[in-house]
Amino acid sequence: MNARLQRGSGIALWRQIADRIRAGLDGSLADENGRLPPEIELAARFSVNRHTVRAAISALVHEGVLETRQGSGTFATRKKRLRYPISTRTRFTAGLEGQVQKRDSRLLEHGTEASPPHVAKALKIEIGSMVVRLETLGLADGTPITRATSWFCAKRFDGIAGIFEKHHSVTAALREFGVDDYLRDSTAIEAHHATDDDMRDLRLSPGAIVFLTKAVNISPDGSPIQYSETHFAADRVELVVNR
């Protein structure tokens, strides 16, 4: 593992160390039990003081990557990343089936607004047409996995926020509007640093990586019904694209 840090790069040293610790948890840094070297050894390895190392470890503990055990040291949590399939019928609840005991979706906020150009294009409506926006949080066994923003044509799906709150499911909410089935038309995947909203809702530290998917769902007749932008905590989820 290359311990050289990029000083003066604009990326905090503790963040760079956190990234290197994360990358070294496969065995190049942690021992066979997942235990990290002591802070003083890590500080010498990276040529920084112990406070900087401590900040990096604290961030990874906050993200759930590491855990500290009193009197024993710091260990990798060894939590297996969840596999989230992206296919023609992508569903949050069904996608995690068999991997976790409890799956839940919560409404964070919602509103009705004029559609910005990229949303109007995805939904094939006029720019400025009214859309319903849902901000939702997806959890697996109580751990936040996804933070999504979805848009629906307000003329067709007025009131979908209240129905979502009742069912905790977009699929169930759409069913009440007569959409018994829908398909994934397109998905684009990017990687970004966590935003302030991601850090708050997904319990991430500054500089953490998230996967961003931009997706369009359509009804069987091909008409767009939902455009969504979903942030996935990269340390917790592996995106698997299936045909």
Side-chain angles (χ1 to χ4, degrees):
M1 181 180 64
N2 183 6
R4 181 176 297 176
L5 303 178
Q6 301 298 315
R7 298 176 186 272
S9 65
I11 302 175
L13 292 179
W14 70 264
R15 183 71 256 175
Q16 295 183 53
I17 293 171
D19 291 341
R20 283 160 174 73
I21 291 175
R22 188 198 315 273
L25 295 180
D26 60 358
S28 59
L29 181 62
D31 65 19
E32 65 276 6
N33 296 315
R35 182 179 179 178
L36 267 64
E39 287 182 2
I40 191 170
E41 184 177 326
L42 289 172
R45 180 187 295 242
F46 294 112
S47 300
V48 297
N49 60 50
R50 292 179 64 178
H51 294 294
T52 304
V53 169
R54 195 166 295 149
I57 290 174
S58 178
L60 294 175
V61 169
H62 177 69
E63 292 177 29
V65 177
L66 300 177
E67 61 180 352
T68 55
R69 302 175 189 171
Q70 188 66 32
S72 298
T74 303
F75 294 79
T77 57
R78 295 195 181 280
K79 291 181 180 177
K80 187 176 180 180
R81 286 198 299 173
L82 299 172
R83 291 173 59 85
Y84 188 86
I86 296 176
S87 63
T88 55
R89 282 184 168 81
T90 299
R91 311 285 191 269
F92 177 76
T93 299
L96 298 180
E97 187 174 6
Q99 300 182 72
V100 298
Q101 294 182 346
K102 183 178 181 181
R103 294 151 287 173
D104 188 25
S105 294
R106 300 177 185 172
L107 183 64
L108 298 175
E109 61 177 275
H110 65 90
T112 301
E113 60 195 25
S115 59
H118 71 290
V119 173
K121 180 180 180 180
L123 294 178
K124 296 183 179 179
I125 58 178
E126 293 292 329
I127 296 174
S129 297
M130 300 308 292
V131 289
V132 179
R133 173 182 46 81
L134 302 185
E135 305 276 353
T136 58
L137 188 68
L139 301 101
D141 289 336
T143 299
I145 301 297
T146 66
R147 189 187 195 285
T149 304
S150 298
W151 291 267
F152 306 84
C153 177
K155 185 176 181 180
R156 183 177 180 186
F157 297 106
D158 184 40
I160 193 171
I163 298 173
F164 177 90
E165 278 197 291
K166 180 173 66 175
H167 295 292
H168 294 250
S169 165
V170 167
T171 300
L174 289 172
R175 194 173 294 123
E176 292 208 17
F177 286 92
V179 181
D180 295 323
D181 190 21
Y182 59 92
L183 307 171
R184 177 61 58 89
D185 182 55
S186 64
T187 305
I189 304 175
E190 305 171 1
H192 296 277
H193 288 293
T195 65
D196 289 343
D197 289 340
D198 293 331
M199 288 186 283
R200 181 191 65 232
D201 296 324
L202 296 177
R203 304 174 198 164
L204 299 175
S205 300
I209 300 299
V210 297
F211 297 128
L212 168 63
T213 64
K214 299 179 179 180
V216 177
N217 286 329
I218 59 175
S219 58
D221 66 6
S223 57
I225 57 175
Q226 176 188 10
Y227 171 65
S228 61
E229 297 181 357
T230 305
H231 289 205
F232 295 80
D235 278 333
R236 303 169 194 161
V237 179
E238 174 185 334
L239 300 181
V240 181
V241 180
N242 299 320
R243 291 186 176 181

